[in-house]
Amino acid sequence: AVIETSLYDNLMDKETLRSLSSLHPLRKLGQLEDILSWVQHLAGNGSRFVTGQTLLVDGGITAGSHSA
């Protein structure tokens, strides 16, 4: 999954980023806030009983029918 950051903005033009988003099941790129919200959740009391998990925060790219 692609998380849209300033690095991608500097390396790729807008058309390439749009093309990448079209390959994604949600038809959009991930945002930094998508990752940060899960980091906050995992660091908080809401996940205090969570152990040994693999958490895929990829907007469905792993389960989707397209590979990127």
Side-chain angles (χ1 to χ4, degrees):
V2 174
I3 303 299
E4 195 171 10
T5 66
S6 59
L7 177 63
Y8 274 101
D9 289 342
N10 291 331
L11 293 176
M12 297 182 191
D13 58 53
K14 293 294 182 190
E15 184 58 36
T16 302
L17 288 172
R18 273 194 292 277
S19 178
L20 283 173
S21 66
S22 72
L23 297 172
H24 200 282
L26 294 179
R27 302 294 185 247
K28 65 178 190 169
L29 300 177
Q31 302 296 312
L32 186 56
E33 293 79 23
D34 298 324
I35 303 300
L36 291 177
S37 63
W38 273 104
V39 170
Q40 289 174 331
H41 174 73
L42 291 172
N45 287 333
S47 64
R48 66 182 184 198
F49 206 63
V50 176
T51 61
Q53 300 300 310
T54 301
L55 178 65
L56 300 172
V57 184
D58 65 3
I61 196 96
T62 304
S65 59
H66 296 91
S67 60

